[in-house]
């Protein structure tokens, strides 16, 4: 089980920070406690179930008729549910306080045991992929319940050209907890343990709190935050370089053995998306840099009365903005009202997150930074993590993560194996939830200044989601290509980072000494290589979906819920056909980028 990646965005006793009572997770829907008999029972069941499954089915898949193969798949799915439930509980407890040794040990021990228990299952996908196509097609035609799993089988069989021997696959599975997972954990614990001393703060701050200062109205405080980040990252840069060098090399070795044509190919396979679709997205965004980020940041420099922007100005509030904090109740009301305006059903699906302990919102010592929605397993419910600091952007983060949560609730009806949505479509409901919230706020704007503030904030969020994430993707592509030529020094990685930053942010920026190390804190590069294009993918897709909604596409609401409820049971072509959308059309991505450009047009017009 891998927890979702945080979305890149103190009263220590309560985590409230003056925003009202912030909710905390109630994990008892997973297990009552770490030492609960239910946890011990499920661990014991899992060990026996895995052993029994292998004893019954290994070497036998080709002999099973349709009914027997269905029973086999359902047994596998039940094992997946229990293993996922255990690791969801262990992982979520750990993310609440990554600095507590007991929680770290509990998660590591659970992962080690589950890895050992499930090693006998490695045969299943390997043997399944050796089934003859005609034989499998015949079985699927004989049993409709088995045929439901075809999308799962298709994704498995897409890996056939890259499948290793049974012995090698077992070895890779067996050592997984001490390979990339161990480096991931080292990165997480190092980041969670960093402290930053600032002259205007009585106590050292954690990473999340310092990143939050980059949106402070006071430019001196923003600069101080940027410089202390650079100073601290530089002190640990050799460790972060070692993490990236090791993970990139490990991936390259496995990719070579699997005959992957590129470092990105495995991600595209897991996302069930064609490489040419991703390449079209990447090329469209890069070509749009001048009319998006370059143009917007030139406008922002003018608003701020600056000839040049510094990196600490990128997410600064506009000088005409009245600084304000949004308490939790207002944030909840804003998002749920926006959801309800689209569909009461959407608001109803979001309600239990607020009332049943499904959100952990406060900033607390040791808590993982960022935000995410974790689906746990299809038999329980999702949990949302935030680090709520009362900024307007935090309200959008709430809207985003609740969108994920609603999506995960709807998709759960597909069952464990079919509910997981490929990353490229997993951002659909989250970005759509943001758009609903933004549009409701924009419609309620009473003055031109308020409208400009909202538009500028949305443009900045979209640039961070589209331009910045594609720049991240290009950085990763360059990093993995360079690592294939040999070990990378910190200076080598720094240079790759700056090459994409200057290109994507544009000529309005100067880059302070030390900014070249800011690649170090991005968790996506460590946890899930090439994940980041999913954000840009989701934004472009949602812009096109929202345009269809605004244009009054008949039955949009029903079609939208059908899309979310499908989970991973359909390919993106089939899911988007009812909306008249085709991601393989090279012009598709320009439609979404034009929406961002249109917002900038409106902002420029306000200057006339």
């Amino acid at each position: 089980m891998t927890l979702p990646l945080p979305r890149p965005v103190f009263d220590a006793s309560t985590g409230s920070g003056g925003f009202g009572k912030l909710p905390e997770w109630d994990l008892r829907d997973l297990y009552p406690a770490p030492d609960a008999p239910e946890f011990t029972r499920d661990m014991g069941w899992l060990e026996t179930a895995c052993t029994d499954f292998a004893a019954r089915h290994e070497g036998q898949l080709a002999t099973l008729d349709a009914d027997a193969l269905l029973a086999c798949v359902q047994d596998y799915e039940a094992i997946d549910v229990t293993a996922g439930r255990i690791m969801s509980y262990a992982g979520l407890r750990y993310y609440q306080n990554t600095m507590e040794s007991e929680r770290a040990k509990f998660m590591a021990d659970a992962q080690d045991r589950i890895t050992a228990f499930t090693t006998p299952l490695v045969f299943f996908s390997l043997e399944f992929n050796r089934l003859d196509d005609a034989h499998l097609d015949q079985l699927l035609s004989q049993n409709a319940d088995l045929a439901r799993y075809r999308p799962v089988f298709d994704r498995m069989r897409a890996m056939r050209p890259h499948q290793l021997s049974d012995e090698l696959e077992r070895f890779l599975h067996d050592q997984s907890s001490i390979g990339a997972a161990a480096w991931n954990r080292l990165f997480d614990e190092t980041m969670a343990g960093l402290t930053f001393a600032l002259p205007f703060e009585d106590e050292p701050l954690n990473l999340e709190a310092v990143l939050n200062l980059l949106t402070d109205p006071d430019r001196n405080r923003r600069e101080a935050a940027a410089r202390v980040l650079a100073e601290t990252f530089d002190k640990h840069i050799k460790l972060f370089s070692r993490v990236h060098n090791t993970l990139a090399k490990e991936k390259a070795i496995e990719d070579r053995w699997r005959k992957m044509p590129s470092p990105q190919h495995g991600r595209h396979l897991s996302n069930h998306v064609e490489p040419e679709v991703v390449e079209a997205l990447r090329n469209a965004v890069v070509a749009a840099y001048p009319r998006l980020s370059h143009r917007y940041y030139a406008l922002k420099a003018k608003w701020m009365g600056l000839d040049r922007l510094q990196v600490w100005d990128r997410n600064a509030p506009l000088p005409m903005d009245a600084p304000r904090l949004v308490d939790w109740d207002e944030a909840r009301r804003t998002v749920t009202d926006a959801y309800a305006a689209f569909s009461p059903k959407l608001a109803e699906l979001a309600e239990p997150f607020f009332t049943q302990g499904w959100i952990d919102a406060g900033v607390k010592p040791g808590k993982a930074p960022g935000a995410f929605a974790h689906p746990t397993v299809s038999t329980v419910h999702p949990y949302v993590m935030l680090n709520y600091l009362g900024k307007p952007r935090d309200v959008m983060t709430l809207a985003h993560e609740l969108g994920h949560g609603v999506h995960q609730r709807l998709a759960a009806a597909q069952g464990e194996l079919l509910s997981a949505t490929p990353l490229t479509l997993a951002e659909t409901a989250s970005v759509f939830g943001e758009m609903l919230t933004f549009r409701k706020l924009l419609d309620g704007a009473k003055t031109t200044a308020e409208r400009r503030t909202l538009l500028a904030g949305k443009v900045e969020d979209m640039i961070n989601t589209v331009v910045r994430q594609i720049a991240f993707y290009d950085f990763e592509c360059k990093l993995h290509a360079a690592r294939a030529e040999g070990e990378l020094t910190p200076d080598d990685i720094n240079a790759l980072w700056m090459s994409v930053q200057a290109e994507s942010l544009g000529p309005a920026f100067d880059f302070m000494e030390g900014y070249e190390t800011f690649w170090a804190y991005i968790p996506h590069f460590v946890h899930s290589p090439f994940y980041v294009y999913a954000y840009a993918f989701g934004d472009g897709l949602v812009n096109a979906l929202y345009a269809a909604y605004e244009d009054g596409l008949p039955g949009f609401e029903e079609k939208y819920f059908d899309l979310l409820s499908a989970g991973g049971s359909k390919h993106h072509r089939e899911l988007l056909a009812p909306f008249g959308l085709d991601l393989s059309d090279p012009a598709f991505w320009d439609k979404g980028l034009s929406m961002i450009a249109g917002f900038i047009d409106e902002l420029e017009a306000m200057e006339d």
Side-chain angles (χ1 to χ4, degrees):
M1 191 279 303
T2 302
L3 286 167
L5 287 161
R7 179 178 180 249
V9 202
F10 125 85
D11 181 353
S13 61
T14 66
S16 67
F19 311 122
K21 182 173 175 54
L22 296 181
E24 296 186 350
W25 280 334
D26 181 352
L27 299 179
R28 289 177 295 179
D29 287 343
L30 291 166
Y31 291 102
D35 57 355
E38 294 90 340
F39 188 87
T40 304
R41 175 203 66 204
D42 281 359
M43 270 291 193
W45 178 88
L46 185 66
E47 182 176 18
T48 301
C50 291
T51 302
D52 290 350
F53 183 90
R56 289 197 312 275
H57 298 302
E58 189 167 9
Q60 303 299 312
L61 293 189
T63 69
L64 300 181
D65 62 20
D67 292 344
L69 184 57
L70 172 63
C72 173
V73 171
Q74 290 173 334
D75 287 347
Y76 186 91
E77 189 166 35
I79 289 170
D80 210 33
V81 168
T82 300
R85 186 181 195 125
I86 290 169
M87 285 314 302
S88 289
Y89 180 68
L92 291 173
R93 280 189 78 244
Y94 172 69
Y95 268 30
Q96 283 182 302
N97 189 347
T98 61
M99 300 307 294
E100 189 174 297
S101 298
E102 179 275 327
R103 293 177 186 242
K105 173 178 166 53
F106 182 80
M107 184 179 73
D109 287 349
Q111 184 68 74
D112 286 348
R113 293 181 70 187
I114 286 180
T115 299
F117 295 165
T118 55
T119 296
L121 306 185
V122 171
F123 83 89
F124 177 73
S125 61
L126 304 177
E127 196 172 316
F128 192 95
N129 283 350
R130 288 195 288 266
L131 294 177
D132 179 74
D133 287 339
H135 173 65
L136 179 59
D137 287 342
Q138 183 179 17
L139 294 179
L140 296 179
S141 70
Q142 293 169 356
N143 189 308
D145 290 333
L146 180 65
R148 277 193 69 246
Y149 291 94
R150 180 183 280 278
V152 177
F153 302 153
D154 287 345
R155 285 194 283 274
M156 285 171 55
R157 290 165 82 80
M159 281 297 295
R160 279 193 292 181
H162 312 292
Q163 191 166 293
L164 304 178
S165 69
D166 292 13
E167 187 176 31
L168 272 175
E169 293 287 2
R170 284 193 180 93
F171 168 75
L172 289 173
H173 178 86
D174 224 10
Q175 64 87 48
S176 61
S177 65
I178 58 165
W183 289 97
N184 281 195
R185 182 175 160 191
L186 173 63
F187 173 84
D188 288 342
E189 292 180 359
T190 302
M191 277 297 165
L194 293 181
T195 57
F196 303 83
L198 289 139
F200 46 80
E201 296 288 343
D202 294 334
E203 299 289 337
L205 302 181
N206 64 10
L207 176 63
E208 191 76 22
V210 180
L211 291 173
N212 184 59
L213 284 173
L214 295 177
T215 64
D216 196 279
D218 186 327
R219 195 169 191 239
N220 291 327
R221 288 166 66 90
R222 296 198 305 273
E223 179 179 356
R227 294 197 182 280
V228 76
L229 286 168
E231 179 184 348
T232 306
F233 293 156
D234 187 62
K235 288 177 181 177
H236 297 82
I237 202 66
K238 289 184 178 179
L239 185 149
F240 296 134
S241 297
R242 173 58 48 222
V243 170
H244 282 68
N245 268 290
T246 303
L247 289 174
K249 183 64 174 179
E250 181 186 64
K251 186 179 189 310
I253 292 170
E254 185 171 338
D255 283 351
R256 185 175 72 247
W257 278 81
R258 293 192 182 282
K259 296 181 171 58
M260 292 286 184
S262 72
Q264 305 90 332
H265 194 72
R267 174 63 59 203
H268 302 335
L269 284 176
S270 67
N271 283 343
H272 209 42
V273 66
E274 299 75 16
E276 56 269 22
V277 171
V278 178
E279 188 67 11
L281 164 64
R282 182 264 171 200
N283 291 342
V285 174
V286 171
Y289 284 170
R291 62 189 176 99
L292 300 182
S293 50
H294 297 187
R295 188 161 61 115
Y296 174 75
Y297 288 128
L299 192 58
K300 185 166 187 175
K302 179 180 177 182
W303 289 334
M304 297 182 75
L306 299 170
D307 292 329
R308 308 276 296 168
L309 293 176
Q310 301 292 336
V311 292
W312 54 82
D313 298 318
R314 185 173 61 83
N315 286 324
L318 301 181
M320 65 284 285
D321 292 353
R324 100 180 184 91
L325 295 179
V326 183
D327 67 32
W328 180 251
D329 287 343
E330 182 183 350
R332 171 182 173 176
R333 188 167 57 251
T334 298
V335 175
T336 53
D337 285 354
Y339 276 28
F342 170 74
S343 166
K345 178 180 177 180
L346 199 62
E348 289 167 12
L349 287 163
E351 183 65 16
F353 287 89
F354 295 101
T355 60
Q356 302 299 316
W358 299 2
I359 298 177
D360 197 302
V363 177
K364 291 167 277 191
K367 183 177 175 181
F372 63 70
H374 177 50
T376 70
V377 289
S378 55
T379 55
V380 188
H381 59 74
Y383 284 91
V384 163
M385 191 193 84
L386 307 170
N387 277 276
Y388 190 80
L389 290 162
K391 297 290 181 70
R393 275 196 173 96
D394 293 339
V395 180
M396 289 299 174
T397 298
L398 172 61
H400 181 102
E401 300 304 342
L402 274 181
H404 278 308
V406 166
H407 193 174
Q408 291 158 359
R409 288 195 71 193
L410 289 167
Q414 294 288 342
E416 193 65 20
L417 295 180
L418 285 164
S419 62
T421 307
L423 292 180
T424 41
L425 292 175
E427 294 297 330
T428 304
S430 54
V431 180
F432 196 83
E434 279 190 82
M435 184 64 81
L436 291 173
T437 304
F438 163 70
R439 290 289 189 175
K440 184 163 183 61
L441 291 171
L442 191 66
D443 289 344
K446 296 180 174 61
T447 65
T448 300
E450 187 178 352
R451 185 175 180 86
R452 177 167 57 183
T453 295
L454 288 166
L455 278 171
K458 184 59 177 173
V459 167
E460 292 198 6
D461 285 345
M462 294 172 100
I463 287 174
N464 284 335
T465 302
V466 178
V467 170
R468 186 164 167 81
Q469 301 306 319
I470 290 300
F472 284 178
Y473 177 69
D474 277 357
F475 167 73
E476 287 190 274
C477 292
K478 290 184 176 186
L479 175 74
H480 285 260
R483 182 64 181 92
E485 302 300 318
E487 178 86 4
L488 300 175
T489 67
D491 286 345
D492 291 334
I493 303 177
N494 292 348
L496 296 175
W497 172 257
M498 292 309 298
S499 71
V500 300
Q501 292 300 301
E503 179 188 22
S504 62
L505 294 178
F509 276 92
D510 287 330
F511 297 97
M512 71 171 190
E513 184 177 351
Y515 182 67
E516 65 274 9
T517 64
F518 274 45
W519 55 268
Y521 80 93
I522 309 296
H524 305 70
F525 305 152
V526 174
H527 287 286
S528 193
F530 306 108
Y531 175 103
V532 288
Y533 73 73
Y535 291 119
F537 198 107
D539 195 271
L541 174 55
V542 165
N543 289 343
L545 276 175
Y546 200 88
Y549 169 56
E550 282 194 316
D551 290 343
L553 179 71
F556 182 92
E557 182 180 331
E558 181 181 355
K559 292 173 182 176
Y560 180 69
F561 281 115
D562 285 347
L563 183 154
L564 301 189
S565 300
S569 67
K570 295 180 180 178
H571 189 271
H572 64 74
R573 281 191 299 270
E574 189 177 356
L575 286 170
L576 296 176
F579 302 93
L581 302 176
D582 179 8
L583 302 187
S584 62
D585 180 357
F588 172 83
W589 300 109
D590 284 329
K591 297 176 185 177
L593 297 173
S594 294
M595 178 179 285
I596 307 174
F599 288 158
I600 300 173
D601 289 343
E602 185 173 347
L603 287 168
E604 286 183 332
M606 291 179 181
E607 297 298 295
D608 297 337

